[in-house]
Amino acid sequence: DQQVKQNSPSLSVQEGRISILNCDYTNSMFDYFLWYKKYPAEGPTFLISISSIKDKNEDGRFTVFLNKSAKHLSLHIVPSQPGDSAVYFCAASASYNQGGKLIFGQGTELSVKP
Amino acid sequence: NAGVTQTPKFQVLKTGQSMTLQCAQDMNHNSMYWYRQDPGMGLRLIYYSASEGTTDKGEVPNGYNVSRLNKREFSLRLESAAPSQTSVYFCASSEVGYGYTFGSGTRLTVV
Protein backbone atom coordinates (compact mmCIF):
# COMPACT_ATOMS: atom_id res chain seq x y z
CA ASP A 1 0.00 0.00 0.00
CA GLN A 2 1.65 3.15 -1.26
CA GLN A 3 1.32 5.82 1.44
CA VAL A 4 2.93 8.52 -0.70
CA LYS A 5 1.98 8.72 -4.35
CA GLN A 6 3.30 10.73 -7.25
CA ASN A 7 0.92 9.87 -10.06
CA SER A 8 2.79 11.63 -12.86
CA PRO A 9 5.92 9.70 -13.85
CA SER A 10 7.09 12.55 -16.07
CA LEU A 11 6.54 16.23 -16.79
CA SER A 12 7.87 18.39 -19.62
CA VAL A 13 7.96 22.19 -19.30
CA GLN A 14 9.34 25.05 -21.35
CA GLU A 15 12.20 27.06 -19.89
CA GLY A 16 10.93 30.12 -18.02
CA ARG A 17 7.48 28.63 -17.35
CA ILE A 18 6.16 27.19 -14.10
CA SER A 19 6.67 23.54 -13.19
CA ILE A 20 4.12 22.00 -10.83
CA LEU A 21 4.86 18.61 -9.32
CA ASN A 22 2.16 16.89 -7.31
CA CYS A 23 2.13 14.42 -4.45
CA ASP A 24 -0.71 12.73 -2.55
CA TYR A 25 -0.55 10.88 0.73
CA THR A 26 -2.87 8.63 2.69
CA ASN A 27 -1.50 8.63 6.24
CA SER A 28 -3.05 11.42 8.31
CA MET A 29 -0.27 10.98 10.90
CA PHE A 30 2.35 12.45 8.56
CA ASP A 31 3.59 15.69 10.08
CA TYR A 32 6.53 16.61 7.88
CA PHE A 33 7.00 16.61 4.14
CA LEU A 34 10.10 16.99 2.01
CA TRP A 35 11.08 17.20 -1.63
CA TYR A 36 14.28 15.66 -2.91
CA LYS A 37 15.91 16.16 -6.30
CA LYS A 38 17.94 13.46 -8.02
CA TYR A 39 20.26 13.72 -11.00
CA PRO A 40 21.36 10.57 -12.88
CA ALA A 41 24.15 8.62 -11.18
CA GLU A 42 23.86 10.72 -8.03
CA GLY A 43 22.06 10.33 -4.73
CA PRO A 44 18.94 12.36 -3.92
CA THR A 45 19.58 15.79 -2.44
CA PHE A 46 17.29 17.76 -0.16
CA LEU A 47 15.39 20.57 -1.85
CA ILE A 48 12.69 21.99 0.42
CA SER A 49 10.43 20.89 3.25
CA ILE A 50 7.23 21.86 5.06
CA SER A 51 5.77 21.10 8.45
CA SER A 52 2.13 20.13 8.77
CA ILE A 53 1.49 23.30 10.79
CA LYS A 54 2.14 25.38 7.67
CA ASP A 55 0.46 25.49 4.30
CA LYS A 56 3.26 27.11 2.32
CA ASN A 57 7.03 27.31 2.37
CA GLU A 58 9.12 29.26 -0.10
CA ASP A 59 12.82 29.15 -0.93
CA GLY A 60 13.88 31.18 -3.92
CA ARG A 61 12.33 29.72 -7.07
CA PHE A 62 10.87 26.77 -5.13
CA THR A 63 7.58 26.82 -3.22
CA VAL A 64 5.86 23.90 -1.56
CA PHE A 65 2.13 24.02 -0.83
CA LEU A 66 0.39 21.70 1.61
CA ASN A 67 -3.35 21.00 1.62
CA LYS A 68 -3.97 18.81 4.65
CA SER A 69 -7.69 18.36 4.07
CA ALA A 70 -6.98 16.96 0.60
CA LYS A 71 -3.81 15.14 1.75
CA HIS A 72 -2.01 16.78 -1.13
CA LEU A 73 1.18 18.73 -1.59
CA SER A 74 2.75 20.34 -4.59
CA LEU A 75 6.11 21.77 -5.56
CA HIS A 76 6.16 24.87 -7.76
CA ILE A 77 9.30 25.90 -9.61
CA VAL A 78 9.21 29.40 -11.09
CA PRO A 79 10.84 30.12 -13.46
CA SER A 80 11.92 26.68 -14.59
CA GLN A 81 15.48 26.30 -15.84
CA PRO A 82 17.14 23.51 -17.87
CA GLY A 83 19.29 22.68 -14.82
CA ASP A 84 16.09 21.77 -12.96
CA SER A 85 15.73 18.69 -15.19
CA ALA A 86 15.90 15.80 -12.73
CA VAL A 87 13.76 13.28 -10.88
CA TYR A 88 11.85 14.79 -7.95
CA PHE A 89 10.81 12.66 -5.00
CA CYS A 90 8.18 13.62 -2.49
CA ALA A 91 8.72 12.20 1.03
CA ALA A 92 6.68 12.21 4.23
CA SER A 93 7.21 11.26 7.84
CA ALA A 94 5.13 10.74 10.98
CA SER A 95 6.66 12.02 14.23
CA TYR A 96 9.56 13.38 12.22
CA ASN A 97 11.11 15.24 15.14
CA GLN A 98 11.08 12.03 17.18
CA GLY A 99 12.95 10.06 14.55
CA GLY A 100 10.16 9.08 12.18
CA LYS A 101 11.44 7.61 8.95
CA LEU A 102 10.88 9.04 5.49
CA ILE A 103 8.44 7.33 3.14
CA PHE A 104 9.07 8.25 -0.49
CA GLY A 105 6.85 8.53 -3.52
CA GLN A 106 7.64 6.99 -6.89
CA GLY A 107 9.24 10.12 -8.30
CA THR A 108 8.43 12.48 -11.18
CA GLU A 109 10.97 13.07 -13.92
CA LEU A 110 10.98 16.76 -14.87
CA SER A 111 12.36 17.83 -18.24
CA VAL A 112 12.81 21.55 -18.83
CA LYS A 113 13.21 22.36 -22.53
CA PRO A 114 15.29 25.38 -23.62
CA ASN B 1 33.66 16.99 3.29
CA ALA B 2 32.78 13.53 1.93
CA GLY B 3 29.31 13.15 3.53
CA VAL B 4 28.08 9.60 2.82
CA THR B 5 30.38 7.24 0.93
CA GLN B 6 29.16 4.00 -0.64
CA THR B 7 31.26 1.20 -2.09
CA PRO B 8 31.25 -0.30 -4.62
CA LYS B 9 29.56 1.94 -7.19
CA PHE B 10 28.77 -0.95 -9.54
CA GLN B 11 28.53 -4.70 -9.04
CA VAL B 12 27.40 -7.68 -11.09
CA LEU B 13 26.58 -10.87 -9.19
CA LYS B 14 25.48 -14.31 -10.23
CA THR B 15 22.34 -15.73 -8.66
CA GLY B 16 23.20 -17.26 -5.31
CA GLN B 17 26.37 -15.26 -4.72
CA SER B 18 26.75 -13.12 -1.63
CA MET B 19 28.11 -9.63 -1.18
CA THR B 20 28.24 -6.74 1.25
CA LEU B 21 27.53 -3.13 0.36
CA GLN B 22 29.51 -0.71 2.46
CA CYS B 23 28.42 2.71 3.71
CA ALA B 24 30.27 5.24 5.84
CA GLN B 25 29.36 8.76 6.94
CA ASP B 26 31.57 11.45 8.41
CA MET B 27 28.87 13.79 9.77
CA ASN B 28 28.57 12.15 13.19
CA HIS B 29 24.92 11.31 12.49
CA ASN B 30 23.16 8.86 14.77
CA SER B 31 20.73 7.42 12.22
CA MET B 32 21.55 5.51 9.05
CA TYR B 33 19.37 3.92 6.38
CA TRP B 34 19.43 1.63 3.37
CA TYR B 35 17.00 2.24 0.52
CA ARG B 36 16.55 0.62 -2.85
CA GLN B 37 15.32 2.45 -5.94
CA ASP B 38 13.39 0.62 -8.62
CA PRO B 39 11.56 2.03 -11.67
CA GLY B 40 8.01 3.03 -10.78
CA MET B 41 8.54 2.15 -7.11
CA GLY B 42 10.49 5.12 -5.82
CA LEU B 43 12.78 4.69 -2.85
CA ARG B 44 11.86 1.89 -0.47
CA LEU B 45 13.39 1.45 2.96
CA ILE B 46 15.17 -1.87 3.49
CA TYR B 47 16.68 -1.47 6.98
CA TYR B 48 17.58 1.38 9.25
CA SER B 49 19.61 2.02 12.36
CA ALA B 50 18.34 4.72 14.71
CA SER B 51 21.58 4.69 16.68
CA GLU B 52 24.77 2.71 17.09
CA GLY B 53 23.94 -0.80 18.24
CA THR B 54 20.36 -0.87 16.95
CA THR B 55 18.87 -2.00 13.66
CA ASP B 56 15.29 -2.40 12.47
CA LYS B 57 13.45 -3.67 9.43
CA GLY B 58 11.94 -1.30 6.90
CA GLU B 59 9.40 -1.94 4.15
CA VAL B 60 11.34 -4.54 2.13
CA PRO B 61 13.84 -6.38 4.41
CA ASN B 62 13.52 -9.90 3.00
CA GLY B 63 16.77 -11.25 1.56
CA TYR B 64 18.95 -8.69 3.34
CA ASN B 65 20.86 -8.34 6.58
CA VAL B 66 22.59 -5.29 8.05
CA SER B 67 25.33 -4.49 10.51
CA ARG B 68 25.86 -1.17 12.27
CA LEU B 69 29.57 -1.67 12.77
CA ASN B 70 30.08 1.61 14.64
CA LYS B 71 28.61 5.10 14.49
CA ARG B 72 30.16 5.77 11.07
CA GLU B 73 29.50 2.53 9.22
CA PHE B 74 26.36 0.66 8.20
CA SER B 75 26.66 -2.31 5.86
CA LEU B 76 24.04 -4.20 3.86
CA ARG B 77 24.55 -7.89 3.10
CA LEU B 78 22.93 -10.05 0.47
CA GLU B 79 23.47 -13.67 1.54
CA SER B 80 22.15 -15.32 -1.63
CA ALA B 81 21.51 -12.81 -4.38
CA ALA B 82 18.39 -13.12 -6.56
CA PRO B 83 17.52 -11.34 -9.83
CA SER B 84 14.74 -9.51 -7.93
CA GLN B 85 17.48 -7.74 -5.97
CA THR B 86 18.74 -6.03 -9.11
CA SER B 87 18.39 -2.38 -8.13
CA VAL B 88 20.15 0.82 -7.18
CA TYR B 89 20.93 0.90 -3.47
CA PHE B 90 21.26 4.13 -1.52
CA CYS B 91 22.62 4.64 1.95
CA ALA B 92 21.63 7.72 3.92
CA SER B 93 22.30 9.26 7.30
CA SER B 94 20.57 11.87 9.41
CA GLU B 95 20.05 13.45 12.76
CA VAL B 96 16.53 13.43 14.20
CA GLY B 97 14.45 16.21 12.69
CA TYR B 98 16.86 16.93 9.88
CA GLY B 99 16.81 15.87 6.26
CA TYR B 100 18.64 12.80 5.09
CA THR B 101 22.01 12.97 3.34
CA PHE B 102 22.34 10.29 0.68
CA GLY B 103 25.32 8.57 -0.85
CA SER B 104 25.74 8.35 -4.62
CA GLY B 105 24.41 4.80 -4.79
CA THR B 106 25.47 1.27 -5.72
CA ARG B 107 24.09 -0.13 -8.97
CA LEU B 108 23.69 -3.89 -8.49
CA THR B 109 22.82 -6.35 -11.23
CA VAL B 110 22.07 -9.99 -10.40
CA VAL B 111 22.18 -12.33 -13.40
Side-chain angles (χ1 to χ4, degrees):
Chain A
D1 182 30
Q2 193 91 22
Q3 297 186 67
V4 179
K5 297 180 184 180
Q6 295 175 256
N7 292 317
S8 298
S10 62
L11 176 67
S12 184
V13 170
Q14 206 69 29
E15 181 179 6
R17 306 294 292 267
I18 184 171
S19 295
I20 300 176
L21 294 88
N22 294 304
C23 178
D24 297 297
Y25 62 96
T26 58
N27 189 343
S28 58
M29 299 301 291
F30 287 149
D31 58 9
Y32 206 76
F33 304 87
L34 305 88
W35 285 93
Y36 278 78
K37 177 179 181 179
K38 184 185 178 305
Y39 292 118
E42 295 183 11
T45 56
F46 171 73
L47 186 59
I48 192 169
S49 63
I50 188 167
S51 164
S52 60
I53 63 173
K54 295 186 175 182
D55 54 20
K56 176 183 175 181
N57 188 29
E58 192 171 355
D59 183 1
R61 296 186 296 113
F62 303 92
T63 303
V64 56
F65 295 92
L66 175 62
N67 182 334
K68 288 188 290 294
S69 60
K71 294 191 176 68
H72 177 83
L73 66 156
S74 60
L75 175 68
H76 292 209
I77 306 173
V78 184
S80 300
Q81 300 174 354
D84 296 329
S85 297
V87 176
Y88 290 79
F89 290 100
C90 168
S93 175
S95 303
Y96 187 65
N97 288 324
Q98 288 77 45
K101 300 167 295 301
L102 292 182
I103 307 297
F104 286 83
Q106 304 97 312
T108 296
E109 184 171 10
L110 173 65
S111 176
V112 181
K113 308 288 188 186
Chain B
N1 192 16
V4 178
T5 303
Q6 291 183 235
T7 55
K9 293 192 181 304
F10 302 94
Q11 184 72 47
V12 178
L13 288 179
K14 293 183 178 179
T15 298
Q17 286 185 318
S18 63
M19 80 161 294
T20 299
L21 282 64
Q22 307 286 354
C23 175
Q25 51 97 4
D26 62 2
M27 296 169 286
N28 204 35
H29 287 166
N30 279 304
S31 302
M32 297 186 74
Y33 314 84
W34 276 105
Y35 283 85
R36 59 179 287 174
Q37 183 195 2
D38 302 291
M41 302 296 289
L43 292 159
R44 292 181 293 169
L45 182 63
I46 305 171
Y47 269 93
Y48 66 100
S49 172
S51 61
E52 186 178 355
T54 69
T55 60
D56 284 289
K57 296 178 180 179
E59 302 169 65
V60 288
N62 291 343
Y64 305 96
N65 284 301
V66 290
S67 296
R68 183 73 184 267
L69 303 169
N70 47 55
K71 191 171 186 178
R72 289 187 64 248
E73 299 172 287
F74 188 39
S75 63
L76 179 72
R77 182 158 179 86
L78 287 71
E79 290 291 352
S80 178
S84 61
Q85 294 178 304
T86 293
S87 186
V88 182
Y89 291 85
F90 290 100
C91 177
S93 70
S94 75
E95 277 301 330
V96 171
Y98 291 87
Y100 294 8
T101 300
F102 284 86
S104 58
T106 295
R107 185 174 294 274
L108 175 67
T109 302
V110 183
V111 297

